[in-house]
Amino acid sequence: KTMGIMSFLSGELADPVVAYAGSPLPEGTPVATEDAVVAALRTVHDPEIPVDIYELGLIYRTALEDDGALEIEMTLTAPGCPVADILPQEVADAAAGVAGVGPVTVHLVWEPPWSQDMMSDAARLELGMM
């Protein structure tokens, strides 16, 4: 279930939850590690930038619960980002694909505003900024 991201960006939606994926884990299923979640997030790329969203600094927070539920706070490089309507769902789907992750909720946040300072050194190197 995805809320209309463009409606959210224009201020029509107050709830910044923009993407869902996954389902509750069966009882007794081992929960994934944070490292496994991060590895999955590193597979998601903004098609206009040859660096994954994790290294770009677009993932602000991940919270993996004991039952496997995962909440992610992310941002975009700009509110008018051309992939704003698909990137949060790609993040939710990638995280939900990790063994031991249950329901995933992605929240789109704007504070703090993203800046190039949030990129990792690896991202800066890849983009020729170092």
Side-chain angles (χ1 to χ4, degrees):
K1 166 176 142 179
T2 302
M3 293 184 142
I5 185 71
M6 298 317 290
S7 296
F8 172 69
L9 293 174
S10 69
E12 294 172 26
L13 296 176
D15 186 352
V17 174
V18 294
Y20 297 97
S23 57
L25 295 175
E27 184 99 15
T29 301
V31 174
T33 64
E34 290 280 346
D35 287 343
V37 170
V38 168
L41 296 176
R42 288 177 189 231
T43 68
V44 180
H45 290 78
D46 179 324
E48 297 180 338
I49 304 171
V51 176
D52 71 79
I53 61 163
Y54 193 83
E55 294 298 327
L56 279 175
L58 298 181
I59 301 297
Y60 284 177
R61 183 181 73 86
T62 61
L64 186 60
E65 302 296 326
D66 292 341
D67 64 358
L70 175 64
E71 292 212 14
I72 298 172
E73 286 183 359
M74 68 172 293
T75 196
L76 302 170
T77 55
C81 179
V83 294
D85 56 341
I86 60 168
L87 203 55
Q89 190 62 53
E90 287 183 13
V91 168
D93 292 341
V98 175
V101 170
V104 177
T105 305
V106 176
H107 302 268
L108 192 59
V109 297
W110 302 108
E111 292 297 325
W114 181 86
S115 72
Q116 291 180 2
D117 294 339
M118 295 174 169
M119 294 175 14
S120 70
D121 288 344
R124 285 190 186 93
L125 185 62
E126 178 74 25
L127 296 172
M129 300 172 75
M130 285 186 81

